[in-house]
Amino acid sequence: MKNIIYKPLLFVGLLSILFTTSCSKQIDDAYKNPNAAVVEPIESILSGVIGSFTAFYSSAGTGYGVQADAILLGRYIQYWGTTTNGENYGQMGGTVNSDNTGSVWAAVYYGQGQNVNKIIQWGTEQQKWDYVGAAWAIRAWGWLELTNEYSDAPLKEAFNTNLVQFHYDTQPEFYDSCRAVCYRALSFLNRTDGKVSKDNLAIGDAYFFNGDVDKWKKFVYGILARSYIDLSNKQIFLTNGYADSAIKYATLSMATNADNAAVRVAGGLTSAVNNYFGPFRGNIGTIRQSAYIADLMSGNNADAFNGVADPRRWYMLRENNNKTFKGFTVWAGTTGVAAADYPQNFWGNPTASSTAAPTVDSSRYLYQNTSPWPLMTASEMQFIIAEAALRKGNTSLALTAYTKAIDLNFDMITTTYPQNVAVPNQITPAVKTAYMSNTAVIPSNPAALTLTQIMLQKYIALYGWGVHQTWIDMRKFHYTDLDPATGKQVYANFTPPSGANLISTNNGKLVYRCRPRYNSEYLYNVPELTRIGAYQNLDYNTYEMWFSQK
Amino acid sequence: MRKFLPFVLFFACLTMISNSLLAQEKTITGKVIGEDNRPQSGVSIQVKGTKLVTVTNQLGIFKIKADPKQTLIFTQVGSVKQEILVGSKTEINVQLVPSQEQLDEVVVVAMDIKRNSRELGYSTQNVTGKEIQSTQRDNFINSLQGRVAGITVTPTTGAAGASSGIILRGFNTLSGTNQPLFVVDGIILDNSTLNTNSQGGAGIGLASDLPNRNNDYTNRMADLNPNDIENVTVLKGPEATSLYGSQASNGAIVITTKKSKSTGGKILVTYDNNFRTQEITRFAEVNNDYGPGASNGIPTPPPTAGQFQSFGPVWPSTTKLYDNLHHFYKTGISQTHNIGVEFGKKEMGFRVSGQFLDNQGVIPNNMLQKYNFKISNNTKIGKYITITPSIAYTYSDNVKPLKGSASTGGFLLSLYQWPANNDVTNFTTSNGGKTTLFNANVNSDYDNPLWSAYNNYSGDKNTRYVSTLGIDITPFSWLSLAGRFGYDTYKQDGYLITHPQSYALTAATRGSLDNYYRTYKGYNHTITATAKKNIGKFTTRLMVGTMWMDNEMEQYSVKGTQLIDSLSGGSMYKNGQIITKLNPADSNISLPGSRVRLLRNYFGLPNLNILRELAYFSEVSVGYKNVAFLTYSHRFETASPLPAKNRNYNFPGASLSLIVSDIFPVIKRGDIINYFKLRGSMANTARLNDPYSNQAVFVNNQNSSVIPGFTYGFTNANPDLRPERQQTFEVGGELRMLKNAITVEGAYYNTLCTDQISQGYRASYATGFILNTTNASSLRNEGIELTVGVTPINKNNFNWNVNFNFNHMWSKVLTLPQSIGILNDYYNSDTYISNVRGGLIRNHSTGTITGSTYTRNTAGEILINPATGIPLVTTGNLLIADRSPNFTLGINNSFRYKNLSLSFLWDWKRGGDIYNGTEQALTTLGKSARTSNRNTPLIVKGVLNDGFQNTTNPTLNSIVINPYFLTSYYTSLPDEEFIQKNVNWLRLRDVSVNYTLPKSLMNHIKSIKAVSFFFTGNDLVLITNYHGADPAVNSNNPATGGIGGYGLDLGSAPTPISYSFGMRANF
């Protein structure tokens, strides 16, 4: 009888031990996610991160980058406006209860965020120092873009996955970090040991610098140059030698248009591979060029390039049915624009009021499906040198740089963006020479060069793609600062909205910053927002930036 | 091999015990039948004065040894005890007679174990298969509402093949599923509903990764043939299911299917059919009086954009207007045929059943066809072993138009907003395209609802096999071993197509097609050993067991666009040919370059979702004198979704049952109280996270790249997750009075859910991610349940029963992730319909809805814009409603008069708010009924926002507005305005009349034993204060985790009313 009971029990016992062991292995096998990897080659991560400069496009989120924000911020600086009268951003309003103007925030923290961290971590393990350097360069770009758009934000605590509330650090801390990261990036980009390989870098970098480490370095120098020129309104700009730094780094940066940093797209049948501003994506149907840029480039600005029709306008802007260039007052929409003066949309739909692309693609410049999107150009670097040199009093360097800057911009436009410009309107060498020899544009005497000329030519050269940088420039001059040399507005005849056209919650002040991204901070990081006043104060968007203060 | 180990084990045990047989007395065999002449299994036969006991098998057969002087006692709960002297007999056949006094039922509880209900310290409730079948509902889950206290069934829509969610005792988790476990004959079966969300391709949804709200997919338990159900036991609390573990932390629906019984070698055939028609009788309240106009009564003569805004003047009397609402739906027609065949002899029985269902729904292009086939067997092998194998096959084919908003291809809002001067039935052009109203660009023109239903739709075909094997071995009278082995597999192939000409797409997209191929393979087994021993006045029972579960879902999904090359002159061209018909089952019709897949599909592999779980458990029961019962259980579990360090967890359960009326028999004196039981239980259980929520993964990045690009997905997955914890206690009692004419059963329960895994909650992007997962939330759930049965009349020829199932529950969200502010909400983004969502806020119930509100002053008065007279609105997701009902009450009446029986079930729900998103959408277009009095000037009640609003003397609003000239009044109303507070309903869920032809008549027809005819009506009456079409719809299907979208009404078709007739015959 004993055997009858114990034998089976023993048997059962042994079997269950066997069974449990095999089961726990099976359970362990099922723990790991079989569908998606927790590690990917850094070559395949870099490509998506580069996409986040402009318009991130992943299965988990799209549109993060400068482009989506540029559509809105371009109204603050009067690059363009929408067809709506009283439109919020045209009135210098800030974003309330939405993720608008939060795309750079998302790009830096999410699109680049941990992806950049992993490129650094795994790239270090794999001794791919070029990847590590590129990743640090992207991080440096991110910190500068981020703080220039939003001012205070998480920096020291950023990317700590165990936190759900984050402390905000200040703008000077971001500037310092940005530069420190730039030097770190350069130290890696300078390395040739380990697994550094142009061909291998070109895999991840195919649509940016195609593996050219020198261009990455120039990009980093460009970030450094920006980090100094952005402070040109501060007293320390001259006293601390920031002007020299700006000139030095701009000189080390891009020298030719071949060096330009531009994010390219492959083109094709999906949104992912088409330019955010192109007709396929259909994102900019309701915006139209502003009256300010149209007048400036048509010779209709009384105090800048007056009487000089800029030949680049046929490339950058859109004519109306009168074949002239007019634009919207950004806060007024179509109001005050005669029907025949109504500019076509940027894709050139012959029906001027249409928000759709024309059936036959006639888009130009940045508004094409496969337009490369500049992040930084050689021309911009020359404008940095020009501004810094002029402030230092080195007018001849300023004039040389200024001339080069315009020259480079003409070349970029005619070589990279010649599409769909009718023959009579094309820029020939003669047309360019005629423009550049016009002393209303380029004075022959270096002493005659003004800040207005530099900043407004820069305004034109960065039109469309350089919204963020132009906004920095304009805020440095508080939009309407006077040039002590001329006694006139640096941004000649630029009129920001005022009175009823300035959004009432600004309390009469102009816009200086964007609110941190709504769905990131306004809902989920409230205590810190409250500490800095961003949560409760309706005019937080008007708080002046550190960089623009004396 | 692993799967066969248990079998080996059993056979090994078997051989070792086979020599234990001792024989001295004579053997008596026999059969026990019930009042209905059916064999009775589980009848206890005891040799009087000894401990020798046996039970009848599935065929009602027993064998026992006794000597001629001994007496056999036959007992079965619910029957009169019979004593028979053995004498010279070697065969004793007994017919049991139902007992009027003893109503102790045997209930099937966890692990397919039958227990006497008096021992149970927790509540269970039964619904018979007969009741379920009499409702004639395709998805049997819908027949449970109102029949069980504490159960809430919410169908997603009224479409054929719609899913239904089922919630037992409220919501216990804010992120995970709240659906109960389904156990059929001891086997866990899959009841998942396809979730279209694929987490950037890392999950198992659609390749287009849609939010789970624009379409519906059947919940897979609907595959079960309702006609195979013998009985459903609802185990509501985790007390009852602590043995089933984390999978059953939401309770369990335990289904016993019909088994073959010995037919004495005869073949018994049952055939029944059902012919049904369905109608939609309820619609949203629509106003069709006004013509087109963008605003303020200014007409826009067609054809111009803005046709859908009906803010123009009233239609001229000459305009021909159409009653489009009533021309859209059709009469749904369905037929069902059921056949059941039983045959068996002595130790072996077979049951074969089949069902054919063809349901052409009320919505155009909506149909469900289903075939079921099942064979089950039970065989007694030797003296100690009974095996019950079965195999069931289901094939279903379902086509459904899309639901939700018009901009995502849903038909219903298009129908409501369709211009009254346009005949909705004229929807297609001569070349098969969409007729347009006003726009030259066909994609910019709204989709005619009929056209939409026929062209924006989804379909799936599902083939399922469920094979089960039950093995019961009873080597000794005190020991029984049971094994339940089940393999459940199905293939579901489906598609979702949006037509190239649809408003939901841009012209450049040229159509969109999702195809998916889903395979489920689920194996599980449960093996238990139960020993019983009586020690003096104590009865003891020890059960130990193990469970293994291995569920695997595989999925291929592909989404492509560019289904046509061009659209020209209204015709669609592909490869130079005009095409008129798109075949959505063919994923090749999209352009290869446009296709997107789930992550592993790019490498030719399916995406997987695997859940494995191993458990050991034990239960000890001690009974004292059959009046007090104490049970303690403990379960040890290990499951694959958790990281190794947190993977092993365990939880206890305990319950106590006291039969007070037997402890103090004085209570029963006077025959008023016949039975009084008090019970209490407490248990802990755990709940798992979704598989893979511990690992942050890379998803596809499609930005221009020469190699596949990857970036991190949304979620900051947490490598440290622990299982959620749930603690419940329940107290209750049972009372039977007046010879059981009145039975009352009540329970109070209290469930505290802690350490809840908040999946996908938001925090600052500074984490480097957008969504996060942490053990962070907690909530408490309480409720009272009351079941009352009254039998006012119980005569031979006439019987009347009334059953009341009452439920009142309340809940409170205690903690949420820290990143969510005090007034902010945690939500599942699937529930985000229009601007409203099922947002959860601390210290409020789990049923809250959040959205925009009126702006109010400190005194709570609505603030009015002094410039316009229109109320100010605070945008955001603020608390605007609570969906939780005050109570629900199901009242089921059943009458039997001779051969005629009638039953009807009323379902009363009181309280609970509903968001009428349909009305909000229609109001902004000037189409809802609330805009019909737009010519009546009004003053919005409130105070002016003039600087004095928060003083003691705010300025009362006196600005008269005439909405006809001020459309912005309608278009700027906050979400709060479209919350309908305290929605009540009284539904006549099911009415069933059955007439059985008298026996005297049937005696003349030899081949047919019995014939009955029946009529069934479903949802015939709905009395409600709800302004929308149907208050019982759900904006999401049960695949949405957490609280889901019940009470959120946007573009979901209402439940139709149904009439069915049929007959049933036994051969």
Side-chain angles (χ1 to χ4, degrees), chain A residues 395-413:
Chain A
T395 51
S396 63
L397 176 60
L399 183 64
T400 314
Y402 173 70
T403 312
K404 258 195 214 166
I406 298 170
D407 183 71
L408 281 163
N409 183 246
F410 265 82
D411 289 353
M412 182 181 88
I413 280 168

Side-chain angles (χ1 to χ4, degrees), chain B residues 32 40-46 53-56 72-83 94 96 106:
Chain B
V32 181
Q40 298 292 303
S41 63
V43 178
S44 160
I45 299 115
Q46 188 186 9
V53 180
T54 188
V55 289
T56 55
L72 299 186
I73 308 171
F74 291 80
T75 49
Q76 190 188 34
V77 281
S79 300
V80 175
K81 182 162 88 176
Q82 296 191 35
E83 296 191 8
V94 171
L96 296 175
V106 166

Side-chain angles (χ1 to χ4, degrees), chain A residues 20 34-35 57 97 114 159 521, chain B residues 600 608 616 703 764 766-767 875:
Chain A
T20 310
N35 305 319
Y57 209 107
N97 295 352
Q114 301 287 3
F159 312 125
E521 306 302 296
Chain B
R600 294 214 324 166
L608 297 172
Y616 294 99
N703 270 116
S764 168
T767 55
T875 56

Side-chain angles (χ1 to χ4, degrees), chain B residues 788-853:
Chain B
V788 179
V790 183
T791 309
I793 300 167
N794 190 8
K795 297 266 165 67
N796 268 351
N797 276 337
F798 187 56
N799 182 284
W800 176 24
N801 280 304
V802 198
N803 259 295
F804 300 88
N805 288 305
F806 172 85
N807 176 227
H808 167 52
M809 50 190 176
W810 61 101
S811 59
K812 195 176 197 179
V813 176
L814 302 173
T815 59
L816 290 176
Q818 190 202 356
S819 62
I820 294 161
I822 290 298
L823 296 174
N824 289 5
D825 60 340
Y826 168 71
Y827 64 101
N828 180 317
S829 61
D830 282 349
T831 68
Y832 212 153
I833 60 163
S834 58
N835 293 311
V836 164
R837 62 195 183 198
L840 295 152
I841 299 176
R842 292 177 190 85
N843 295 322
H844 288 274
S845 93
T846 55
T848 49
I849 302 177
T850 58
S852 63
T853 63

Side-chain angles (χ1 to χ4, degrees), chain A residues 492-542:
Chain A
N493 295 308
F494 182 86
T495 314
S498 60
N501 296 321
L502 181 65
I503 199 130
S504 62
T505 47
N506 280 15
N507 294 332
K509 293 172 286 182
L510 303 183
V511 68
Y512 274 89
R513 58 177 69 188
C514 292
R515 295 175 197 281
R517 188 174 169 100
Y518 178 73
N519 270 298
S520 166
E521 306 302 296
Y522 273 80
L523 292 175
Y524 307 108
N525 209 12
V526 173
E528 192 61 8
L529 280 188
T530 311
R531 183 184 67 80
I532 63 165
Y535 190 75
Q536 64 276 39
N537 295 333
L538 289 176
D539 59 356
Y540 179 74
N541 58 317
T542 67

Side-chain angles (χ1 to χ4, degrees), chain A residues 20 26 28 31 33-35 37 44 57 59-60 97 110 114-115 118 159 265-266 269 517 520-521 523-524, chain B residues 2 202 591 600 607-608 612 616 647 695 698 700 702-704 708 710 712 714 764-767 819 824 875:
Chain A
T20 310
Q26 291 216 31
D28 206 44
Y31 172 70
N33 189 334
N35 305 319
S44 62
Y57 209 107
S59 305
N97 295 352
Y110 172 62
Q114 301 287 3
N115 296 303
K118 290 302 179 198
F159 312 125
V265 288
L269 287 170
R517 188 174 169 100
S520 166
E521 306 302 296
L523 292 175
Y524 307 108
Chain B
R2 180 185 45 74
L591 199 67
R600 294 214 324 166
N607 265 27
L608 297 172
R612 293 188 182 134
Y616 294 99
R647 197 177 285 158
Q695 303 143 54
F698 286 94
N700 282 330
Q702 297 95 347
N703 270 116
S704 296
F710 299 100
Y712 271 118
F714 285 129
S764 168
Y765 290 12
T767 55
S819 62
N824 289 5
T875 56

